Amino acid sequence: MLLEITNLSVEFRSLMDQIKALHQVSLSVDKGEIVGVVGESGSGKSVTALSILGLLDKNARISGGGDPFQRFRCPAAWRQRAAIVAGKADRNGLSGADECA
C-alpha cells in the first residue's frame, strides 16, 4: 500500500461556528495505481488533497486519517516538496529536503 487514509475528518473553525468539511473519508492507493477524485463543487476534493499533504490552513482541525507520509523514507522532505508544489512554500524555504538523500 503506497497511501492509506482511514476515517479522515476535517472541521474549520471561524469566530462564530465550526464547519464540517470532511466526515470519515477513507481511501487507499497501491503502488502503480492511479486514482481520480471527482465530485461536485464544495464536495471536499481539495480539502482531502490538502489534508493528505498537510497543507491546510491553521483554522483546520483534522482527526483520523493517519499519517499518509509514514511509508516514505523521509516524511519531512516529502511534506516540504508537497508544500512547494501546492504553492504554500517557496524553494528558498526548503530546508532538510536532501537530508535523507
Side-chain angles (χ1 to χ4, degrees):
M1 190 70 52
L2 181 63
L3 174 71
E4 186 170 20
I5 306 298
T6 306
N7 296 326
L8 174 66
S9 297
V10 177
E11 292 181 352
F12 291 97
R13 295 181 182 182
S14 68
L15 293 175
M16 304 295 285
D17 204 1
Q18 288 188 26
I19 300 165
K20 292 182 181 181
L22 297 178
H23 181 69
Q24 297 184 341
V25 172
S26 297
L27 64 95
S28 61
V29 181
D30 285 324
K31 185 175 181 178
E33 186 176 26
I34 299 172
V35 175
V37 179
V38 296
E40 295 182 19
S41 179
S43 64
K45 301 176 301 293
S46 295
V47 172
T48 300
L50 291 172
S51 298
I52 291 169
L53 296 172
L55 299 175
L56 287 175
D57 290 333
K58 293 179 182 180
N59 68 330
R61 192 176 108 206
I62 301 172
S63 61
D67 183 359
F69 287 95
Q70 68 187 355
R71 293 178 180 4
F72 291 99
R73 183 168 166 252
C74 190
W78 282 101
R79 279 195 184 89
Q80 286 181 320
R81 289 180 178 121
I84 291 168
V85 169
K88 300 266 183 173
D90 61 39
R91 288 193 174 278
N92 296 329
L94 187 63
S95 61
D98 295 323
E99 290 176 11
C100 298

